[in-house]
Amino acid sequence: MSANPSEARVVRAVHGRSPKPADPAYQAGLAEELRQSYGRAGLIELYGRFATGDGVVDGLMRKAIWQAITRRCGAGLQVAGGAGFKHPETFEIGDGVFIGAQAYIQGRFDGTCVIGDNVWIGPMAYFDARDLVIEDSVGWGPGAKVLGSTHTALPIDVPIIRTDLEIKPVRICAEADIGTNATILPGVTVGKGAIVGAGAVVVSDVEPFSVAAGVPAKFIRWRSENDPMTNMSREGRS
């Protein structure tokens, strides 16, 4: 036990250090059988039966249904209870992705949603995934959000909710880390290895390997190898 109870501890990452994932041999066949037997509408209905359970079968079926219904889905997917989706047929998901409890990915029928390898998505995250790319080894904090579109609010004599939507691409580059309850607004690119602080509202691009925080988010400093508060080890992200 530490002599100073308030002293911070540094422990090894789990998700970031996991070996290359592999699925059981039968899983690809299960996903294909579900795809052929149920079709998209049937798979969405079937998902409801397993969406919230914590048992082994629930977790397996969530994973198999995601693999069956998405455009592409890699090995080692983990989907926690309560995670949901809309228009999953537009999703492309890499290897070793974790999707936390009650996270929700809202695609669009003609949209793009790409999630790279080794991405960790925290509980209750929300993605307005109309034109969204999250590259490899991104950490996404609990409750953090992406907004991919806004109403034009024109003409002004029409209720805003009835005006057209303007969709802008959001790009989260490899190895970035998005803090708890941060919000990424439409059109933003978060650069490689950047850190977005907890609760930040990001209205403009974040430079690679920088730290941004606040409302609205502003540049705080550059990440540094000798700054333990902001250094995310590349080894830990591999």
Side-chain angles (χ1 to χ4, degrees):
M1 184 173 179
S2 172
N4 182 355
S6 63
E7 184 177 320
R9 293 192 303 146
V10 177
V11 299
R12 290 173 65 88
V14 176
H15 183 82
R17 292 179 181 270
S18 298
K20 186 175 178 60
D23 290 331
Y26 61 80
Q27 189 166 307
L30 172 60
E32 182 59 28
E33 180 64 29
L34 291 172
R35 183 184 299 112
Q36 296 295 332
S37 299
Y38 284 88
R40 190 174 74 185
L43 285 170
I44 292 172
E45 181 180 358
L46 181 66
Y47 187 75
R49 303 184 195 177
F50 303 98
T52 60
D54 292 327
V56 173
V57 173
D58 297 292
L60 171 64
M61 290 300 294
R62 283 196 294 269
K63 179 163 55 175
I65 291 169
W66 279 68
Q67 290 179 320
I69 203 170
T70 54
R71 181 179 294 167
R72 179 179 63 84
C73 186
L77 175 67
Q78 299 178 69
V79 182
F85 52 69
K86 186 173 183 178
H87 291 296
E89 71 278 6
T90 65
F91 299 175
E92 298 179 40
I93 300 174
D95 294 332
V97 172
F98 174 84
I99 300 175
Q102 300 181 59
Y104 193 83
I105 305 176
Q106 180 172 319
R108 179 180 159 88
F109 69 93
D110 60 353
T112 297
C113 175
V114 178
I115 299 174
D117 296 342
N118 199 38
V119 171
W120 188 92
I121 295 171
M124 301 184 73
Y126 172 77
F127 300 89
D128 179 14
R130 300 165 194 263
D131 190 346
L132 173 65
V133 175
I134 300 175
E135 295 183 355
D136 296 348
S137 298
V138 167
W140 195 271
K145 304 171 183 66
V146 163
L147 301 181
S149 62
T150 55
H151 288 275
T152 64
L154 295 173
I156 60 173
D157 60 344
V158 172
I160 293 172
I161 199 169
R162 292 175 54 190
T163 63
D164 292 342
L165 284 173
E166 183 178 17
I167 297 170
K168 295 182 180 180
V170 174
R171 302 291 180 261
I172 312 298
C173 297
E175 303 175 23
D177 194 81
I178 310 300
T180 298
N181 289 326
T183 302
I184 312 297
L185 294 188
V188 165
T189 293
V190 176
K192 180 177 180 179
I195 295 176
V196 172
V201 177
V202 184
V203 301
S204 58
D205 292 353
V206 178
E207 292 292 324
F209 296 101
S210 69
V211 180
V215 181
K218 296 181 180 179
F219 172 84
I220 302 297
R221 58 183 176 272
W222 297 107
R223 284 182 53 199
S224 166
E225 292 292 344
N226 60 6
D227 182 352
M229 296 305 293
T230 62
N231 178 40
M232 293 186 299
S233 167
R234 291 183 181 85
E235 178 185 357
R237 292 289 185 182
S238 62

